[in-house]
Amino acid sequence: MRAVFIKCLSAMLTLVILSCQNADRPVTSPDAVEFIQTYTDSFIDLYTASTEAEWLANTRIIPGDTTISSQLERANNALAAFTGDAYNIKKTKELLQNPTEITQTQERILKTILFKAGNNPATMGEVVAQRITAENNQMETLYGFDYRVDSALVTTGEIDQALRELTDPAMRLKWWEASKAVGKELDTGLLRLRNLRNSAVQGLDYTNYFQYQVSDYGMSSDEMMTLLEQLISEVWPLYRELHTWVRYELAEKYNAPEVPEMIPAHWLPNRWGQDWSALVEVEGINLDEQLKKHPPSWIIEQGEAFYKSLGFTALPKSFYENSNLYPLPTDSDHKKNNHASAWHMDLQEDVRCLMSVTSTPTYYETVHHELGHIYYYLSYSNPRVPLLLRKGANRAFHEAVGSLMGLAAMQPPFLAGRGLIDQQDYPDSLRQKILLKEALNYVVFIPFSAGVMSHFEHTLYNTSIDTSTFNSEWWNLKKQYQGIVPPYERGRPYNDAATKTHINDDAAQYYDYALSYVLLFQLHEHIAQEILQQDAHATNYYGSKKTGEFIRSLMHSGANNDWRQLLKEKLGSELSAKALVNYFQPLMEYLKKENEGRTYTLPVRIL
Ligand code: X8Z
Ligand code: ZN
C-alpha cells in the first residue's frame, strides 16, 4: 500500500494538469482513473499470489505441516493489508463523495474496493490477522479430517453413496454419524471465527459479518431475510406435500413400525437433507447405471461439449493441466478440499476446478454447475470489463448459470439426444415421476437454503449464541423449516451445522444458492418459451446458439451493471419464485392424490 501511495503522489501531479485542461466539465475524474489503475495494478499481483497459495492449501492438506499454511497466511495477510489500507479506504470514500465526477463504472469499481476493505480494515489489523489464521486452521480441520466407519477410513464420496443406497436404518445411522463426527472438531473454531469475522467488519461500520455479506446485493439484512421468507412461503404448499409423501414412502421402504411425524435425518439420501432426489427412480431414465459405464473424465468432457454446443469456446488447455478433478485414494499422503469449487486464479484465462468427480448423477450435475462458473469467468475476462468488476452481476447470478445448465442436462429430450436414455416419448405417469424427482432437488432445497442455513447464520452473526447452543439452534431450524429431526437428541458436543462446508469457509452467503435456484427457473422459463419454444419440462438446449448468446449476454459484462436492471432488461421481471412455482404446479395435483388419507404434520403455513 505504501507503493500505491507513492505512485499516487506522482500521478496526482500529472492529473492536476490534465484536469485543468478539462476544467470546465470533466467527463470523469482523472484522479479516479489514476487511483483505480494504481490500485488494480497492486491488487492483481496480491490477489493472484493469495489465490495460488489458497489453491495449494486446498489441494495439498497435510495436517500438522506448516509450510503451505504459513505461505498462505503470508499471502492472505499481504492482500488483506492492501485491501484494508487506510489510505486506500480514505481515497475511495473521497472519490465516492463526488458521484457526478466519476463514471458509473468507476463508481462500481470504487464500491467494490470499499467492499473488499470492509473485511480487512487496517484499524482492525490484529483481528484480521487472527481471523486469517483461524480460517486456515478451520479449513485444515474440516478437510484434513479422517472419516471412519467401523474404524475403517472412508471418503465423503463413499458416505454419500452409502446414504443413497443403504436400506437398513441401522447401517444408515452408522454412515450418517460418520459424516457428522467432524462437527465436534470444528466447534470452538466456528465460535472464534464468528467473533473475529464480526469484529473485523465492525471496523468499517458494518453491524456484523452477515450484514456485511448481504450488503454486496445492495440490501439490508432485514430485506434479505424478508425476501427469503417470501420464497419459502411460496414453495411451502408444495414442500408440505413432498414432506408428507416422503415420510410415508420411507417408512415403508425401511419397514418402520410407524410413519414418523418428522423425517429422521439419517433416512435421507444426503448428509444435510438438502437434496432428496435420489429417492426416486424413473423407469427408463437410469442415469446412475449409464454413468457407471464411463470414467469420471467422460462426465467433464460431456459438460464441456454441452457448453461448446451453445457456442462457448473449448476450455483453455491450462484448465486441464492445472485443475484438480478427481478424488484422492484413501491412502494418499495428503488430503484435499473435497467440496467442488471453481477458481479464477488471475482474473484472466487461468481458470481451474477443484472437484472429486465420480461417475454419479450428483457429480454429473455438479460438473455442469462448476463449468458454469468457469464459463462465467471466461465471458467477463474481456477488455471491456475492468479487473475489479470481473465477478457476477451478483453472487446468485454466478451460482445460477451452472445450475441452470445442470437442470437442462437432466431433461429427458437432452438425455435422449446425448444417447444417455432410450425413450423419446413419455407417458404422463413417467412425466410426473420426473417432475417429482426434480422437485425433490429444487423445491426441497429452498427451505434448507433460505430457511435453515440462512437463519442459522443470521442468528450466529447477529446474536451471541455460543457452542452450548449451536446444535439446538440448528435442529430447531431443521424441524421448523424442513420437518427433519435428528435420530436422537443431539446437543453439545455435537456441532452438526459445522459439518456443512459453507458454514466454515463460505460464511453468511448460503442465501446465494436459494436466490440462484429461483433465478435459474426464471432463466429456464425464458429460454424454453422465448428461445426454444419448447415445453419447459422437456427441453433440449443442446446446440442452441441462441440460448448460448442469451446466457453469454447475462455474463459478459460481469458486475459492470445493476443486477436488478439486468434482470428487467433480459427477462422483463424482477427476482421471483413465480417461475419455479409454475414449473412444479402440475405436481401439486399428483401429490395431493398420492397423499389422500395421509396425515400431514407440517403446518399449512410456515409463517
Ligand atoms: O456448493 C455448491 C457448489 C459449489 S459453488 C458445488 N453448491 C451448494 C452445496 O453444495 O451446498 C451447489 C448447490 C448448493
Ligand atoms: Zn457454485
Side-chain angles (χ1 to χ4, degrees), residues 575-592:
L575 191 68
S576 134
K578 211 170 135 244
L580 186 150
V581 172
N582 277 350
Y583 184 92
F584 290 107
Q585 204 49 45
L587 196 60
M588 262 317 253
E589 216 177 298
Y590 168 80
L591 282 174
K592 277 200 169 138

Side-chain angles (χ1 to χ4, degrees), residues 163-164 166-169 172 249-257 266-269 279:
L163 291 180
R164 276 196 306 271
L166 293 174
T167 50
D168 172 5
R172 298 187 58 83
E249 199 70 14
L250 288 183
E252 193 184 323
K253 183 170 172 185
Y254 301 143
N255 284 321
H266 66 295
W267 280 19
L268 291 166
L279 294 180

